[in-house]
Amino acid sequence: MTTDFHRIRRLPPYIFEEVNRFKAKARANGADIIDLGMGNPDLAAPPHVVAKLCETAGKPRTDRYSASKGIAGLRRAQAGYYARRFGVKLNPDTQVVATLGSKEGFANMAQAITAPGDVVLVPNPSYPIHAFGFLMAGGVIRSVPAEPSPAIFPALERAVLHSIPKPLALVTCYPSNPTAQVASLDFYRDLVAFAKKHDIFLLSDLAYAEVYFDDNDPPPSMLQVPGAMDVAVEFTSMSKTFSMAGWRIGFAVGNERLLAALGRVKSYLDYGAFTPVQVAATAALNGPDDCIREMRSIYKRRRDVLVESFGKAGWEIPSPSASMFAWVPIPEKFRPLGSLEFSKLLVEKADVAVAPGIGFGEHGDDYVRIALVENEQRIRQAARSIRKFFDSADRTLHNVVPLARAG
């Protein structure tokens, strides 16, 4: 009996899982791997949020099923956040849906709006769920450039012109995972005009809205553009802002028709997050923001140490202005290996794990993504290990190239 079910056949092997297996094997052999691969925050959730969780757990009725689209207080808190941060007014009853993280929200939005064969425009490189959520829903992906600049609009126009049927939606993600690029409000204005001209939806992943390093230039929301609500839904997350990744709380906000479809699908699939988690998330959104500023300063210091220490090791790191990632070209002499084999090589030879760019699309294969999820001391340690590897690579490169062929 075949084990290749229809939807599974549409999914390639999960690249990051291959690196994880390689990493686990090295650890089992006693290696101390410095893991800069997965964007999994190592910072603690804010104490007042944890306290609210503990206070709420075990109270009468909190163990029951919760609300699929989020408890009313949480949706009001998210609307309050959008009003304060972006000046965007949302109706918490019709324009806010709480999700089990932005990833789940994106995947279920795809299930809600996609008919078999629908075309969706997705940046390449991009976070995997942006494409594979639609592939699992029976859609067809057309890759478009990831750069948030006027230069992408001719490519978008060509994609619309040459797609049959006409594209259903365009996905965006700024600050970008993986490239760390940030979009301007002017870019979003042009994007909304493009979407209205061609009658397509915009799905904006804004998970890294609060991870930015220039206090005078916070990343905007697409919904700040007048009229964006007619065509756009935006996804945000508590994961990075409050270091609550494992709590699985995020939001979809914006267009009422799209959110009604998402809410209806979710009503069949889940009963929402555990109520005390939702109450604690409400406390996070309504509470002081000093914990957010501290998170930003920690990631900024780590970014600076990464750029400085890796640069001294002979690997130039483009300095990101936002997100918890650096998107880094593979050193030229290793580029023919491709990002997966180079990533395995770093685990094997330097005890350092990074995310191979190929995992974000074929246009990412000359890059790796480095996450700021280890402390400054460990980042410097990684740089020292990489420098030793680079210094010896010229003598041992003949041992490396066959590895690429074997892979």
Side-chain angles (χ1 to χ4, degrees):
M1 180 187 291
T2 178
T3 57
D4 288 340
F5 298 109
H6 169 67
R7 295 211 191 283
I8 302 304
R9 278 202 306 271
R10 303 202 81 198
L11 298 176
Y14 199 53
I15 294 288
F16 307 115
E17 191 52 44
E18 194 166 338
V19 178
N20 287 342
R21 282 197 300 270
F22 211 72
K23 197 165 57 184
K25 185 179 176 185
R27 281 183 170 143
N29 291 330
D32 174 24
I33 302 296
I34 299 170
D35 194 349
L36 305 174
M38 188 177 179
N40 195 1
D42 63 317
L43 309 180
H48 69 282
V49 178
V50 177
K52 179 59 75 172
L53 174 75
C54 296
E55 175 195 321
T56 310
K59 279 191 172 179
R61 305 174 72 88
T62 59
D63 291 325
R64 293 183 169 190
Y65 293 130
S66 191
S68 180
K69 63 186 273 188
I71 59 175
L74 178 58
R75 286 183 279 114
R76 283 196 299 270
Q78 175 68 352
Y81 161 72
Y82 257 77
R84 290 190 308 274
R85 172 70 164 80
F86 303 115
V88 171
K89 186 177 181 185
L90 296 169
N91 181 334
D93 292 325
T94 59
Q95 293 179 310
V96 180
V97 171
T99 63
L100 305 178
S102 56
K103 189 175 184 179
E104 175 268 326
F106 226 98
N108 279 326
M109 180 63 81
Q111 293 290 338
I113 67 175
T114 311
D118 274 347
V119 176
V120 179
L121 308 180
V122 178
N124 189 337
S126 188
Y127 187 57
I129 197 63
H130 297 155
F132 294 117
F134 287 97
L135 281 175
M136 284 189 279
V140 175
I141 301 305
R142 188 176 187 112
S143 292
V144 295
E147 177 104 19
S149 76
I152 81 162
F153 286 97
L156 291 178
E157 292 284 357
R158 282 194 304 274
V160 170
L161 186 64
H162 296 295
S163 294
I164 300 174
K166 187 194 73 177
L168 169 74
L170 166 65
V171 175
T172 68
C173 177
Y174 307 110
S176 169
N177 179 7
T179 69
Q181 293 167 311
V182 181
S184 68
L185 201 49
D186 282 342
F187 174 77
Y188 282 145
R189 283 192 190 98
D190 291 345
L191 210 56
V192 169
F194 169 84
K196 290 193 167 193
K197 172 185 171 186
H198 293 291
D199 192 25
I200 65 175
F201 295 121
L202 296 172
L203 302 175
S204 166
D205 185 344
L206 194 63
Y208 296 89
E210 299 304 335
V211 190
Y212 59 89
F213 308 127
D214 180 354
D215 291 338
N216 298 316
D217 196 19
S221 160
M222 182 183 288
L223 297 180
Q224 288 174 245
V225 177
M229 213 77 76
D230 299 336
V231 292
V233 164
E234 199 154 65
F235 297 84
T236 57
S237 172
M238 309 288 285
S239 295
K240 312 308 187 293
T241 305
F242 295 98
S243 302
M244 293 167 62
W247 298 50
R248 306 317 300 134
I249 288 284
F251 300 93
V253 305
N255 180 271
E256 292 187 4
R257 181 182 165 214
L258 291 174
L259 290 177
L262 173 62
R264 186 161 182 188
V265 164
K266 280 179 63 62
S267 70
Y268 284 95
L269 295 178
D270 70 67
Y271 289 105
F274 184 38
T275 296
V277 169
Q278 296 194 52
V279 173
T282 305
L285 289 167
N286 290 337
D289 64 358
D290 53 343
C291 56
I292 302 176
R293 290 196 301 273
E294 175 64 14
M295 171 273 295
R296 274 199 289 266
S297 68
I298 290 170
Y299 285 135
K300 186 176 183 178
R301 289 196 300 271
R302 290 179 180 182
R303 177 203 65 175
D304 293 344
V305 167
L306 178 76
V307 170
E308 180 238 341
S309 62
F310 276 52
K312 285 181 179 172
W315 193 2
E316 191 175 334
I317 306 287
S319 182
S321 64
S323 87
M324 56 192 293
F325 305 114
W327 183 241
V328 187
I330 297 170
E332 201 168 328
K333 65 184 170 188
F334 297 103
R335 214 164 286 167
L337 293 171
S339 58
L340 178 57
E341 293 304 331
F342 177 68
S343 298
K344 288 180 181 178
L345 204 58
L346 284 185
V347 172
E348 184 184 1
K349 305 287 188 184
D351 293 340
V352 174
V354 298
I358 189 70
F360 304 97
E362 64 271 25
H363 291 288
D365 202 22
D366 286 341
Y367 296 80
V368 295
R369 192 194 70 181
I370 299 178
L372 303 171
V373 292
E374 294 264 16
N375 64 39
E376 294 164 45
Q377 180 186 341
R378 293 280 279 173
I379 291 170
R380 291 189 192 279
Q381 182 184 336
R384 288 193 297 271
S385 297
I386 285 170
R387 180 171 191 167
K388 283 180 194 164
F389 164 50
F390 284 176
D391 286 348
S392 66
D394 286 338
R395 297 191 303 277
T396 59
L397 200 56
H398 63 282
N399 293 327
V400 171
V401 176
L403 179 66
R405 293 189 187 127

